Amino acid sequence: MSFDRSVKIAPSILSADFANFGAEIEAVEAQGADWIHVDVMDGHFVPNLSFGATTCAAIRPHIKTVMDVHLMISPVDAYIDGFAQAGADFITAHVEAGPHIHRTLQAIRAAGAKAGVALNPGTPASAVEHLLDICDLVCVMTVNPGFGGQKFIPLASKIAKLRAMIGDRPVHIEIDGGVTPQTAKSCVDAGADVLVAGSAVFKGGSVSNPAPYGENIRAIRASVA
């Protein structure tokens, strides 16, 4: 997987039809999705439950692009191998999820996946300063994690600080939470290159009527052009 900083749209399947994940993924990829974002929640680190490694393994054959797995769980380390074996291309853990995030990132890479580190809205950019040489992605949460459809928290200055710290390292900056055509531009202008969007992509469409997925993706892309 070669590195590039072009803007990538990563629909979150948290907003898809849970009974139809395979077809939803195929539909949204056909409509222009660059990555597929999988939100894993444990009801402990965040106040919601979603799905685990067995679901990731089941949907992996339907994903032709990139499987981007976001672990909103604590503890993390015991589950890394399971998600890697399920086919995750990226595995992202939260800096707040445990005391040894450096070890967690090492373990993700050792398992064969690209390593991501996520920051909750109240966590400063400086929390990942000493992790940038062992990660491949920094995920900036622009909502408090746990639920889809929340209002965007503007954090352009935090994104810009991260972009400056990353420099020429091949590290993506991903934005997760409240991304719409109205909010995406400030994030990309500050240095982001991966935009996670759930309801903003899936609204108005379905497997039997996927055209709105494409319209929604193109609207986000056009807003940052």
Side-chain angles (χ1 to χ4, degrees):
M1 195 190 312
S2 60
F3 180 85
D4 73 87
R5 292 199 193 281
S6 64
V7 174
K8 291 159 280 292
I9 311 296
S12 167
I13 63 167
L14 198 64
S15 296
D17 176 0
F18 276 36
N20 221 359
F21 271 154
E24 286 275 54
I25 288 163
E26 291 172 9
V28 80
E29 284 190 336
Q31 292 294 324
D34 300 294
W35 293 11
I36 297 297
H37 188 80
V38 184
D39 287 305
V40 176
M41 305 184 196
D42 65 357
H44 165 68
F45 180 67
V46 293
N48 198 4
L49 278 168
S50 59
F51 29 73
T54 51
T55 300
C56 290
I59 64 176
R60 177 70 251 195
H62 300 274
I63 298 175
K64 296 182 177 67
T65 58
V66 172
M67 186 181 199
D68 176 32
V69 176
H70 178 190
L71 300 183
M72 287 171 271
I73 68 175
S74 177
V76 177
D77 294 11
Y79 300 95
I80 290 169
D81 285 347
F83 285 101
Q85 290 164 13
D89 294 298
F90 284 84
I91 298 175
T92 295
H94 273 256
V95 73
E96 308 89 358
H100 304 295
I101 186 63
H102 191 285
R103 177 185 293 161
T104 299
L105 296 175
Q106 287 178 316
I108 292 169
R109 283 186 160 185
K114 301 232 179 235
V117 59
L119 295 166
N120 284 336
T123 302
S126 59
V128 300
E129 184 174 1
H130 301 293
L131 303 171
L132 296 174
D133 289 325
I134 61 160
C135 74
D136 303 285
L137 177 149
V138 178
C139 175
V140 178
M141 295 300 300
T142 43
V143 298
N144 285 295
F147 297 95
Q150 296 184 71
K151 186 179 178 185
F152 177 83
I153 301 168
L155 293 170
S157 63
K158 181 174 174 179
I159 298 164
K161 284 177 187 172
L162 283 167
R163 186 68 197 86
M165 285 195 303
I166 288 167
D168 61 0
R169 295 178 180 92
V171 177
H172 297 288
I173 298 178
E174 178 176 79
I175 306 303
D176 186 357
V179 170
T180 67
Q182 291 70 44
T183 61
K185 182 172 172 54
S186 65
C187 299
V188 171
D189 286 352
D193 64 287
V194 183
L195 301 173
V196 176
S199 49
V201 167
F202 284 98
K203 67 180 181 183
S206 65
V207 167
S208 59
N209 178 33
Y213 298 166
E215 293 164 10
N216 295 336
I217 289 169
R218 287 190 293 275
I220 296 171
R221 226 183 274 287
S223 74
V224 301

